[in-house]
Structures are given as C-alpha cells and as structure tokens.
Amino acid sequence: MKNVAVIGAGTMGNGIAHTFAQSGFKVQLIDISEASLKRGMDTIAKNLDRMVAKEKITEADKQTTLNNITTFTNVEAGVEYAGLVVEAATENIDLKLKIFKQLDDACGGDTILATNTSSISITQIAAVTSRPEMVIGMHFMNPVPIMKLVEIIRGYNTSDEVTNTIMELSKTLGKIPTEVNDYPGFVANRILMPMINESVETLYNGVAGVEEIDTVMKLGMAHPMGPLQLADFIGLDVCLSILNVMYDGFKKPKYAPCPLLVNMVRAGKLGVKSGEGFYDYSESRKAENVSKQFQK
C-alpha cells in the first residue's frame, strides 16, 4: 500500500496526491490532459513553497514530496503497481462509472478502489466492478493538505477489512477519518448543501444581501466563512450537482436547488474558478467585493 494512484489532477486530485506524497507514499497522478497534470504539479509546488515559507517543512521535505509523484496520461500504466486508487474526477456519475469499469479491468485483484465523490452512491459505483467489496468512499475536504476530515463511506458490499484498512491509512496521513453509511450526500453535504441552498433562497427572496447573510453566519454562528462565500469556493456547479443528486435520491422538496443557483450556473457564474459568483474575484481571490448583480 505504499503505491497510490490518483485519478484526476484538478483541485481535489492534486491535493490528495500532495497529501499522500508528503506522507511518504509513491504517488502516480493520472489525468488524460498533460496541461492539467502540469497545472496540478505547479499547484502542489506552490502549496509546498507556502509551507516552506511558514517553516512547516524544509526545502528538502518539499523536494522529497515532489520526487514522490510521477505523472501519467495513461490509466493502465499509472495504476499498474497501485495498492490503492483514489478517483477524484469531476462529480459526474456517468464519468465515474466509466472510470471504475476501466479501473476494475486494469488493476490487480487486491487493489482497493476508492472514490472522492462528495455525494454519488458508492454502492452504485461499486456495482459496475467485479469487486464491490473493495470499493469505498474517501471524501477529502478542500483544501486537502490542510483539512483534517476524511469522510469514509461504506458501500452496501464494502468489506470490514477494506473499511478498517482505509480508516487506518487515513490516520497515517494525519487525517481524522469518520465512517458514515451510503446515502445521498453522506453526512457532510447532506447537512451543508441545504444550508447553502437556503442561503441562496434567502438572497433570492430579498431577505438580506450577500454580505449581510455571510456576516450573520460568521459572527452569529462562528462559521469561518459565510455560506455564500463557501459556495463560491466549492464551485456553484458542484453545489448544484450535489443538490440534484440529493433531490433525485430523496425526492424531497427541501433538496430542490434554488432557481437563482440554477441560473447562475447556466450563466457560467461558478464562483472563484470562473472569477465571479456571489462575489467578484477579478481583483482578488478573497471575497472582498460583492458581484455587481447583487450590489444594492
């Protein structure tokens, strides 16, 4: 289990690769795009530079971490020696099912297959493989190198042995694993996304403005950032996708996404990654300027 493959070099994938590599694992970071791999490695290097500047690690630690990561554009080559594969591709069920079918064929019979999905059924993903007992959810939080929680999700057929192995493995990364069962949204997003959605509804209904809503939640409920700022940070498209998964899974109106959220995603206002969401990030990645659309 000292060789770990990570599928996807985006925000979550490069963070997961960084975390494993810094903990001494040999990591194979896989993405079909060379450009994505380069961006991912650049991000890891920049994050390590910040840690060096804060004297949390040494320059030698940084180089060791980077040397522990090898990049691949070919899945079969990247997973050849992996004892664990962590999939961190886009939150799209069809894509994830396709990837897990491919992984099931390419990986050795004793390789554990994990997904970083934040809402999609582990049982459904596992069902397309010949090893459902070896499929599990490892839902890391963003930013992965900093956030301590890993939500460990058992599918219907996930074995006790695999669950215990992944729980202990997460601890070796300096994380705090928390086991939950396989229902839409699991725990983190089942609670978080309705709060974000209700915050968007509160804005949509004219109860208060963007800054006012976030200020109430930061100062009144001791949240480190307001729910609208957090939605921008997560990505409004990701929030919408998770809400749709929960709405489809539970068929309850409380999970139906707010029309304002739907329209913002349709308009490409996705938050930090698009440069605008509830806040304008054209001048700073911090939530300092409310988007013109919501200014009074």
Side-chain angles (χ1 to χ4, degrees), residues 118-188:
S118 54
S119 62
I120 296 170
S121 168
I122 308 303
T123 303
Q124 184 178 3
I125 291 172
V128 303
T129 76
S130 62
R131 62 184 91 190
E133 73 283 357
M134 300 188 72
V135 179
I136 194 165
M138 287 185 82
H139 180 205
F140 290 85
M141 304 295 125
N142 186 24
V144 180
I146 296 172
M147 299 291 279
K148 290 291 187 183
L149 176 68
V150 183
E151 201 174 23
I152 306 297
I153 308 104
R154 294 184 66 136
Y156 190 81
N157 292 302
T158 306
S159 71
D160 290 340
E161 181 181 359
V162 166
T163 301
N164 292 336
T165 296
I166 296 302
M167 290 285 285
E168 291 305 312
L169 180 68
S170 299
K171 293 176 185 177
T172 69
L173 300 176
K175 303 300 185 186
I176 300 173
T178 303
E179 182 182 340
V180 305
N181 290 319
D182 187 21
Y183 293 95
F186 316 133
V187 171

Side-chain angles (χ1 to χ4, degrees), residues 73-88:
T73 55
N74 181 278
V75 171
E76 286 76 14
V79 303
E80 184 175 1
Y81 300 108
L84 168 68
V85 180
V86 182
E87 171 273 320

Side-chain angles (χ1 to χ4, degrees), residues 107-275:
C107 294
D110 58 351
T111 302
I112 297 173
L113 305 181
T115 173
N116 183 58
T117 181
S118 54
S119 62
I120 296 170
S121 168
I122 308 303
T123 303
Q124 184 178 3
I125 291 172
V128 303
T129 76
S130 62
R131 62 184 91 190
E133 73 283 357
M134 300 188 72
V135 179
I136 194 165
M138 287 185 82
H139 180 205
F140 290 85
M141 304 295 125
N142 186 24
V144 180
I146 296 172
M147 299 291 279
K148 290 291 187 183
L149 176 68
V150 183
E151 201 174 23
I152 306 297
I153 308 104
R154 294 184 66 136
Y156 190 81
N157 292 302
T158 306
S159 71
D160 290 340
E161 181 181 359
V162 166
T163 301
N164 292 336
T165 296
I166 296 302
M167 290 285 285
E168 291 305 312
L169 180 68
S170 299
K171 293 176 185 177
T172 69
L173 300 176
K175 303 300 185 186
I176 300 173
T178 303
E179 182 182 340
V180 305
N181 290 319
D182 187 21
Y183 293 95
F186 316 133
V187 171
N189 282 317
R190 184 168 179 173
I191 295 169
L192 174 63
M193 287 302 153
M195 182 190 74
I196 286 176
N197 197 43
E198 194 61 33
S199 302
V200 181
E201 285 277 3
T202 302
L203 176 65
Y204 180 59
N205 292 330
V207 178
V210 170
E211 286 185 300
E212 288 76 12
I213 292 168
D214 279 353
T215 297
V216 167
M217 296 305 290
K218 286 189 289 185
L219 300 185
M221 283 68 185
H223 290 195
M225 67 173 71
L228 299 177
Q229 180 187 357
L230 179 56
D232 276 355
F233 181 72
I234 294 168
L236 302 192
D237 53 337
V238 176
C239 294
L240 178 60
S241 175
I242 295 169
L243 283 164
N244 281 331
V245 167
M246 292 197 295
Y247 184 59
D248 289 343
F250 292 115
K251 299 295 189 295
K252 292 184 178 180
K254 70 177 180 179
Y255 298 116
C258 175
L260 174 58
L261 178 62
V262 174
N263 278 342
M264 290 180 71
V265 173
R266 286 174 177 167
K269 309 295 186 182
L270 308 181
V272 176
K273 62 185 170 185
S274 71

Side-chain angles (χ1 to χ4, degrees), residues 48-87:
L48 289 168
D49 282 337
R50 291 192 189 96
M51 297 178 76
V52 171
K54 294 178 180 178
E55 298 184 345
K56 292 185 176 181
I57 62 171
T58 66
E59 184 66 30
D61 294 331
K62 170 193 167 182
Q63 290 304 321
T64 299
T65 298
L66 291 174
N67 291 340
N68 280 339
I69 305 173
T70 308
T71 60
F72 293 83
T73 55
N74 181 278
V75 171
E76 286 76 14
V79 303
E80 184 175 1
Y81 300 108
L84 168 68
V85 180
V86 182
E87 171 273 320

